[in-house]
Amino acid sequence: KLEPATWWIYCAGDAVSHREACINMRKEMKLKLPKPVSKYYFDVYLPLSHYLTDMELTGLPIDKYCIDTITKQYNECYDLLYTRLMSATKQYGFDTQAYDASVAEIGEEATLELGLRPDFNPRSAAQKKYFFFERLKLKPAYYVKKGKAKPRAWYEKQTPQMQKQYQPSANGKSMATIRFELVEMLKNEPDDEELQSRFQIVKDYLDLARVSVFSHKFLSKVGVEDDVSAQNLEEGEGLTVGDDDGDEPLKASYWGAICNDGKIHADFFECLDNFRSSSRVNVQNPASKVLSHIPGIFSQFELEAPKNIRNIFYTGDPDYHFAEVDVAGADLAIAAFLSKDPDYIRDILKGGFHTTKMREYFKDPKLSKEEASKYVTSKSITFRVAYTAGLMSAALPIQAEIYAENGDFVDIEVIKYALRTWERYRTYMDYREDCQNQVKNDQMIINARGIKYHFEYTDDFAIQAGWLNQALAYPIASELALFMWDISVKIKEYLKKEGVWMKYCYPCNVVHDANYWLVHKDLMKDNFFPEVCKQIFTKDVKIATGDNLGMEMVVADRWKGKEKIFAKETKWNFETKTWEWEK
């Protein structure tokens, strides 16, 4: 039994309210659901609500010294980048002191005509557009209308009337594209000082934006007491929310989410039509696409790169380990099995699917994971395929996404060729078409378990296009979610019988393709816990088609920790038709 205060702080949240709703819906579920769906509801979904309550109660301990160190490192780097960017923009008239003096002497209108402005604000959309496109004379890579971005190639083909409806975009994707174009121009004119200056400014702006994702978002101390010493942190004190100005902590701030017990308690947010997430702090991969840029940004100032931000999540007890199990292939594997494409399934089961596709995309059988840039590029293309209806129309968006992620330019013909390689999975392509036709004809899509997702009729082409993407996303993402929930329930049932649940094994999070626990070191003897996970993940629980999925498991001192106690993945044995630990 829990103390009432503990209950309300840690349990009366998403999980408990979700469970109450589930219990109240039992009668309706019996009357209105098809038998297979109803069976799943009572056998998995209701027990799952208990699992989620345990998860939210457990929480994830935060290494306070680690988060404090990382915060200081990001703030230091941000300040250096900001100072350098401000110095550069002053040369273009962004100077508050000069601006105020000029306004006092000749008035605001005349001052603006001189090109003087207050200090440059990298968060101001209006200032960014003025600075980058009017003062630096950069050519916009994208144009936007009500948030919808169109590439330059599209914009230049439009009528003047249509062009007037769109404004230049200075978002990350657009600026990353411009940065690459400046690099290409510098190859031809390496001594052009003006070109060098513009490139450095754009680079510093992008670097600042990437660093600020951490310094001003995940590691923000807004609304959190700022003078927290390492000693206070270790004692779990000094994290008073709010200040004299009444500032509230940012929703995404880990600092603001740390509770009095020194933990962040993950929220559960249900969503079957896409991946589960939360607008509040959660322990899903934070800005993982940005992380690859960080070492290079820090090295230009000769600063030591900070640890992976996920290292702040640890066990908080030397007798416990941090265990993570990922579903192998996840979305891609489920897509293969749902489509029943024999070639696609075989490629998935062989393992190393992303490496296989990379070699195919770039026509080089010798490529390996070590070719980081091409590996990331191939993953970007592959995941786009799974969730994009108009396959060839995805070429430009993929090219832009790769620009934004790592600054690499991939020739559009390479991307188009990569997309065409999927046409050899003929049965899978037919499955994609069947899903889209179901939405077009019936305004709904049914997943493999018979759960329907309905669409309201509309003539809006943009909405209809979104529906076609949903036609592909829903069957895959919902199946993965339901599979993960089944896994969670089975793990708890088994460990509860063994008498170790919530005593030696505590659930702390579950995301769309991974489960996380705090595991006592005794459960690792004779690989007991890894074998339990392997049995349940790869044998006991099946997806709706009756197939099993593989897994990879890491047990360490913390999330993404280097002190690994166990790190293995399963490999499909084509003879025994089972998943076995890779040797």
Side-chain angles (χ1 to χ4, degrees), residues 304-335:
E304 180 185 359
K307 291 181 177 180
N308 187 317
I309 190 172
R310 288 167 282 193
N311 279 181
I312 68 174
F313 301 106
Y314 78 143
T315 64
D317 187 328
D319 287 337
Y320 279 81
H321 303 307
F322 191 97
E324 173 185 11
V325 176
D326 287 82
V327 177
D331 319 71
L332 302 175
I334 287 174

Side-chain angles (χ1 to χ4, degrees), residues 285-533:
N285 294 2
S288 57
K289 290 179 180 178
V290 179
L291 288 171
S292 59
H293 295 282
I294 296 305
I297 295 173
F298 275 68
S299 66
Q300 63 187 312
F301 298 108
E302 298 184 355
L303 296 174
E304 180 185 359
K307 291 181 177 180
N308 187 317
I309 190 172
R310 288 167 282 193
N311 279 181
I312 68 174
F313 301 106
Y314 78 143
T315 64
D317 187 328
D319 287 337
Y320 279 81
H321 303 307
F322 191 97
E324 173 185 11
V325 176
D326 287 82
V327 177
D331 319 71
L332 302 175
I334 287 174
F337 287 121
L338 290 178
S339 70
K340 296 182 172 61
D341 188 304
D343 295 327
Y344 189 2
I345 291 172
R346 186 173 60 253
D347 285 349
I348 284 287
L349 293 178
K350 282 192 299 187
F353 186 72
H354 287 300
T355 303
T356 299
K357 295 307 291 181
M358 172 178 62
R359 291 169 177 168
E360 194 174 3
Y361 295 161
F362 293 98
K363 303 178 185 178
D364 185 348
K366 295 181 181 178
L367 288 176
S368 69
K369 264 188 178 183
E370 303 306 313
E371 296 283 343
S373 177
K374 288 181 178 174
Y375 189 72
V376 169
T377 295
S378 70
K379 288 180 72 174
S380 295
I381 296 171
T382 299
F383 280 119
R384 275 279 190 166
V385 170
Y387 292 120
T388 303
L391 206 53
M392 297 311 296
S393 64
L396 271 175
I398 288 171
Q399 188 186 49
E401 183 178 299
I402 295 167
Y403 273 145
E405 285 181 16
N406 54 29
D408 286 345
F409 174 76
V410 182
D411 188 272
I412 197 70
E413 292 306 318
V414 172
I415 295 174
K416 287 180 178 178
Y417 172 78
L419 293 172
R420 283 196 295 272
T421 65
W422 282 80
E423 292 174 0
R424 73 179 178 86
Y425 297 139
R426 194 61 258 166
T427 306
Y428 170 64
M429 299 305 288
D430 291 341
Y431 166 77
R432 287 167 52 91
E433 190 173 346
D434 289 344
C435 289
Q436 294 174 67
N437 286 336
Q438 190 177 137
V439 171
K440 288 176 185 175
N441 300 331
D442 305 325
Q443 282 78 55
M444 70 174 182
I445 182 73
I446 306 174
N447 74 0
R449 298 176 192 248
I451 303 174
K452 298 177 182 178
Y453 188 102
H454 292 273
F455 302 92
E456 292 183 12
Y457 179 78
T458 179
D459 291 324
D460 190 313
F461 176 77
I463 295 176
Q464 290 177 354
W467 285 2
L468 296 181
N469 289 337
Q470 284 281 49
L472 302 179
Y474 174 70
I476 298 170
S478 64
E479 181 57 39
L480 182 53
L482 295 166
F483 173 76
M484 287 301 301
W485 298 350
D486 203 354
I487 289 282
S488 299
V489 170
K490 292 291 192 300
I491 288 277
K492 176 177 176 177
E493 284 177 356
Y494 182 82
L495 295 180
K496 202 167 181 183
K497 287 178 184 175
E498 294 292 314
V500 298
W501 184 254
M502 296 300 279
K503 294 178 182 176
Y504 291 93
C505 179
Y506 297 86
C508 53
N509 194 41
V510 55
V511 293
H512 78 275
D513 68 343
N515 230 315
Y516 304 82
W517 304 274
L518 304 180
V519 180
H520 194 277
K521 61 184 182 182
D522 287 350
L523 292 191
M524 292 302 295
K525 291 177 180 177
D526 299 321
N527 283 344
F528 169 77
F529 188 70
E531 290 300 326
V532 168
C533 289

Side-chain angles (χ1 to χ4, degrees), residues 53-216:
T53 304
D54 292 343
M55 182 192 80
E56 290 193 5
L57 173 63
T58 298
L60 257 174
I62 300 297
D63 185 335
K64 308 293 176 47
Y65 180 79
C66 183
I67 190 174
D68 193 44
T69 301
I70 293 175
T71 299
K72 288 172 181 174
Q73 287 176 298
Y74 273 106
N75 286 340
E76 181 182 8
C77 187
Y78 180 90
D79 290 342
L80 290 169
L81 281 167
Y82 184 81
T83 300
R84 191 160 76 184
L85 184 62
M86 290 304 103
S87 176
T89 56
K90 273 183 168 56
Q91 299 174 34
Y92 291 88
F94 285 86
D95 187 327
T96 297
Q97 193 173 357
Y99 172 81
D100 289 342
S102 180
V103 169
E105 184 177 347
I106 62 174
E108 185 175 18
E109 188 174 339
T111 297
L112 293 175
E113 287 180 5
L114 288 174
L116 288 176
R117 296 290 189 281
D119 287 347
F120 179 65
N121 180 1
R123 292 187 184 85
S124 166
Q127 281 201 29
K128 285 189 291 184
K129 279 192 271 190
Y130 169 76
F131 176 52
F132 290 129
F133 305 130
E134 293 188 39
R135 296 307 304 271
L136 292 186
K137 306 296 182 186
L138 298 172
K139 194 173 183 180
Y142 285 84
Y143 294 80
V144 292
K145 174 188 175 184
K146 295 182 179 178
K148 297 177 182 178
K150 298 287 186 181
R152 182 194 301 147
W154 176 90
Y155 177 83
E156 290 176 345
K157 294 177 183 177
Q158 305 308 305
T159 63
Q161 290 82 359
M162 177 64 77
Q163 288 180 344
K164 286 179 183 178
Q165 298 178 38
Y166 285 80
Q167 296 296 318
S169 169
N171 66 13
K173 184 189 295 185
S174 181
M175 297 310 298
T177 305
I178 290 170
R179 173 184 175 274
F180 172 80
E181 292 171 345
L182 290 170
V183 170
E184 293 296 292
M185 293 165 67
L186 279 169
K187 287 179 182 177
N188 299 322
E189 303 175 69
D191 299 324
D192 188 325
E193 293 184 2
E194 180 63 25
L195 204 55
Q196 290 174 356
S197 174
R198 287 191 288 169
F199 168 75
Q200 189 61 51
I201 288 171
V202 171
K203 181 181 181 302
D204 282 347
Y205 164 73
L206 286 170
D207 287 349
L208 187 76
R210 285 162 180 154
V211 171
S212 71
V213 167
F214 300 97
S215 63
H216 287 64

